[in-house]
Amino acid sequence: QVQLVESGGGLVQPGGSLRLSCAASQSIFTMGWYRQAPGKQRELVATITIGGSTNYADSAKGRFTISKDNAKNTVYLQMNSLKPEDTAVYYCYAGSLARGTYWGQGTQVTVSS
């Protein structure tokens, strides 16, 4: 019911930056980003609500910034000071109690020298 299109992943050196984007096909209450490294469970990176409330993983605080353009149903994740441990597939998330949970296909972020 809700389609998510992600972009912005890639290879970056430690200390570098990337900006991820995710466009949803319709408005939904909460959007954000989760990530999953090989052999590990998917974990929260950051979320944002339509009203602008944000939630960050401790590992992302101070380095990552999530923002959203409600008119475009698009969420962004600005990632600065990237570390090798940030390497993962990053999945766009959209969800609400009424509509359920939706996931993007994922975009690879690799932080390596």
Side-chain angles (χ1 to χ4, degrees), residues 7-103:
S7 63
L11 174 65
V12 65
Q13 293 184 347
S17 298
L18 286 172
R19 187 178 187 241
L20 306 182
S21 299
C22 176
S25 60
Q26 60 183 281
S27 178
I28 196 161
F29 186 75
T30 303
M31 294 186 68
W33 297 91
Y34 287 68
R35 67 188 183 189
Q36 187 168 25
K40 295 187 176 181
Q41 293 184 328
R42 191 171 298 182
E43 64 178 8
L44 168 76
V45 179
T47 60
I48 188 167
T49 68
I50 288 176
S53 297
T54 58
N55 184 33
Y56 292 92
D58 287 342
S59 61
K61 291 178 180 177
R63 300 188 299 126
F64 296 179
T65 302
I66 190 167
S67 60
K68 187 179 181 182
D69 184 338
N70 286 335
K72 297 179 179 179
N73 299 323
T74 300
V75 66
Y76 308 94
L77 184 68
Q78 179 66 46
M79 303 188 292
N80 299 326
S81 302
L82 284 162
K83 305 174 181 179
E85 49 263 47
D86 295 317
T87 297
V89 177
Y90 284 68
Y91 294 92
C92 183
Y93 161 88
S96 72
L97 292 175
R99 299 183 183 182
T101 301
Y102 298 88
W103 297 97

